[in-house]
Amino acid sequence: MVRYAEPGAVEWVESGGGPLIAIPETVLPFWAGADGEETASDYDRACEVGGPAGLLPVGDTTALVLGDEPAATATAYLPGHTAFVRWHPAGAEDAPPAGVPEALRTADWQPELCWRVPGPVLLFDAARPGGAGTGTGRVRVPLGPGTYAVRAARVQPGPETWLGLVHLRRLTD
């Protein structure tokens, strides 16, 4: 489900406990989610990605998996920070905590990954098939084609709230 803080503000994608995935639009039909006749579904493959962020082959490119948390969360892409922000507890109706800029500056980042994308991606629950259409439960992230450094961290701004951060930095091709 997509949540809106205020019209035109932040769009949230919720997960019922599994990973979210950011898939380039060009390969959406190749993502079967939890469906499929394979022994291991695409969703199973996404669940096997260790850590808060990882890459997974889809078609002739790769998708970014936002994982590492078996709990309900809400995730948004904040274009002003070029970052995905996963906020727990899920269901919060407001914009992310005001501490996001400070969290991005002071986080203890994990080693970077390099993610090459052909253009815009869609963020949604990895259990859903990519060809399931548009609408609720998906957020379009207008990335330009190129290579991005991806780094992830987890911060705890309050006693019962944590943020999962996945920051993107465009690299020169």
Side-chain angles (χ1 to χ4, degrees):
M1 173 192 302
V2 177
R3 296 281 177 118
Y4 298 92
E6 293 186 20
V10 176
E11 296 181 65
W12 293 95
V13 175
E14 291 184 352
S15 165
L20 295 173
I21 191 159
I23 298 181
E25 289 179 329
T26 59
V27 295
L28 281 173
F30 296 105
W31 184 258
D35 298 341
E37 299 172 15
E38 305 278 329
T39 305
S41 68
D42 285 340
Y43 177 73
D44 293 330
R45 293 187 317 128
C47 289
E48 290 175 4
V49 171
L55 301 176
L56 189 63
V58 178
D60 62 354
T61 188
T62 54
L64 178 64
V65 178
L66 306 178
D68 198 40
E69 183 53 42
T73 59
T75 302
Y77 179 74
L78 303 179
H81 300 290
T82 60
F84 294 98
V85 176
R86 180 172 270 188
W87 187 6
H88 181 80
E93 297 283 345
D94 300 322
V100 168
E102 180 66 16
L104 287 167
R105 280 191 298 280
T106 61
D108 184 17
W109 297 101
Q110 294 190 354
E112 289 185 342
L113 305 169
C114 282
W115 183 31
R116 183 155 184 71
V117 296
V121 301
L122 283 182
L123 175 69
F124 58 94
D125 191 315
R128 296 184 61 187
T134 60
T136 64
R138 295 176 176 226
V139 170
R140 185 174 191 268
V141 179
L143 297 179
T147 304
Y148 293 81
V150 178
R151 62 185 184 164
R154 180 176 167 156
V155 297
Q156 191 165 358
E160 295 185 26
T161 302
W162 61 261
L163 298 173
L165 304 171
V166 177
H167 183 249
L168 307 178
R169 179 175 45 87
R170 180 85 185 256
L171 300 174
T172 7
D173 291 324

